[in-house]
Amino acid sequence: MTNLAREVLDAEARIRPHVRETSLEPSPDFDGVDGAQVFFKCENLQHSGSFKVRGALSKALALSREELDRGVITASTGNHGAAVAFALSRLDAEATVFVPEGASASKLANIRRHGGTIREHGKDSGDTERFARAYASEHGMTFLSPYNDPQVIGGQGTIAVELERQLDTIDAVIVAVGGGGLIAGIASYLKDASPKTRIIGCSPENSPVMIRSVEAGRILELPSLPTLSDGTAGGVESDAITFPVVRDQVDELVTVGEQEIAAAMLLFMDTHSMLIEGAAGVAVAAYRRLAPSLRGKNTVVILCGGNIGVETLRTVVCPSAA
């Protein structure tokens, strides 16, 4: 068993009393031809509205009281910040969340709702992250990474532990990729537990930093264009431990366009009567793109979050009015 797979099991023991085992929903509306079946893992129904609470709790519960009392700093486009605030509120500690300019208003409101203090820096999430890490070091505070930490990755990988309980045969899993924490945790566990499972990562064409980095063989600094998938947008730290996992354990990487993301979100919300955010829409869009190659397979699509603001939702539902 790899070290990260062990981290997943350690995280499972730490966080299980504090997180929801989210449902795995079959979807006849999305099932493909030749017996293909798709299942949606509903992390949009997780505490704080996304999978991020798993990694935040895994790390926070491993911190000492002294580390918590020094103050905890993180960087986020929204979901990780809300998750850290949620986790720390249960440990009688405070979270300061640095966000990039232009972060989603609804996601900022979610951070505040869970007790986080928001500070703004930079236009790109990569710049924000570097600044927040330096700020924490300069002020003797504890930095809680969104993805570049084994215990955070382990927490995200607990989704795979649940999938193993919920579905006898997992032929493929489709995961949206930003910094890579979610897919690194899932891949690290499943490649040990179910080596034949095909792990598929996906990103928006407007911000495919991890995918382009894997293609280049090194982490790149690339600009990101606006995207519905704000949760996966932005840069990747130059020493990200997620990079070799994505490079070595993910079987396929694809990008999808903004129109594909919007269409996938609209179709899912219309057929399942649940909200999902853009990053989850990326995974649904990737499934629709790859469906012919998944014939006869049990495919799991990770719905990584459901935190979508009214204005963004309006652009998806009524694009002509946006």
Side-chain angles (χ1 to χ4, degrees), residues 1-298:
M1 181 176 287
T2 64
N3 289 337
L4 281 177
R6 279 192 288 269
E7 287 284 358
V8 172
L9 293 177
D10 290 343
E12 169 71 12
R14 277 196 298 274
I15 74 172
R16 183 49 46 199
H18 307 282
V19 297
R20 293 172 176 150
E21 178 158 330
T22 53
S23 60
L24 184 66
E25 298 291 332
S27 180
D29 294 295
F30 279 81
D31 284 348
V33 296
D34 295 339
Q37 288 187 290
V38 64
F39 300 82
F40 290 113
K41 180 63 169 162
C42 296
E43 286 297 292
N44 56 319
L45 304 180
Q46 185 58 264
H47 295 304
S48 79
S50 87
F51 77 95
K52 289 283 191 178
V53 78
R54 296 173 182 268
L57 276 165
S58 175
K59 184 63 178 181
L61 289 166
L63 294 174
S64 68
R65 188 70 248 175
E66 188 270 336
E67 288 172 313
L68 290 168
D69 289 344
R70 289 205 312 255
V72 177
I73 297 285
T74 195
S76 175
T77 55
N79 283 344
H80 174 70
V84 171
F86 175 93
L88 293 182
S89 70
R90 278 142 183 78
L91 297 173
D92 194 27
E94 296 182 359
T96 299
V97 184
F98 281 90
V99 302
E101 297 173 17
S104 162
S106 64
K107 290 188 176 182
L108 297 183
N110 198 25
I111 294 171
R112 294 189 183 97
R113 191 177 304 120
H114 292 293
T117 298
I118 294 171
R119 301 187 64 173
E120 191 176 87
H121 179 87
K123 298 181 182 298
D124 179 87
S125 63
D127 295 334
T128 306
E129 194 171 335
R130 284 187 288 272
F131 180 85
R133 190 182 286 276
Y135 184 96
S137 177
E138 181 182 347
H139 292 82
M141 303 173 80
T142 301
F143 182 73
L144 205 162
S145 173
Y147 58 88
N148 197 13
D149 183 291
Q151 290 168 324
V152 172
I153 294 170
Q156 320 304 26
T158 59
I159 290 174
V161 179
E162 292 181 12
L163 291 177
E164 194 178 31
R165 289 196 288 261
Q166 293 171 321
L167 192 61
D168 290 337
T169 301
I170 307 171
D171 296 307
V173 180
I174 300 178
V175 189
V177 178
L182 177 59
I183 200 168
I186 289 173
S188 295
Y189 183 81
L190 282 183
K191 284 301 184 182
D192 267 354
S194 178
K196 293 183 179 180
T197 298
R198 180 178 166 194
I199 308 294
I200 301 167
C202 48
S203 296
E205 290 175 357
N206 281 3
S207 186
V209 180
M210 180 63 83
I211 291 178
R212 298 295 174 247
S213 296
V214 169
E215 291 171 349
R218 60 187 177 87
I219 296 175
L220 303 173
E221 289 192 21
L222 298 172
S224 293
L225 298 174
T227 174
L228 286 167
S229 182
D230 60 306
T232 64
V236 178
E237 284 192 307
S238 61
D239 64 345
I241 61 175
T242 53
F243 174 75
V245 182
V246 177
R247 180 193 63 203
D248 299 339
Q249 298 197 46
V250 174
D251 300 292
E252 186 173 357
L253 292 165
V254 298
T255 60
V256 290
E258 294 301 302
Q259 289 185 346
E260 289 178 280
I261 298 167
M265 293 172 70
L266 185 58
L267 179 60
F268 176 84
M269 290 187 287
D270 186 44
T271 55
H272 286 263
S273 301
M274 283 193 287
L275 289 178
I276 57 172
E277 63 184 78
V282 169
V284 179
Y287 168 76
R288 296 183 75 198
R289 169 91 66 85
L290 297 172
S293 71
L294 296 168
R295 291 174 178 173
K297 307 294 186 184
N298 282 346

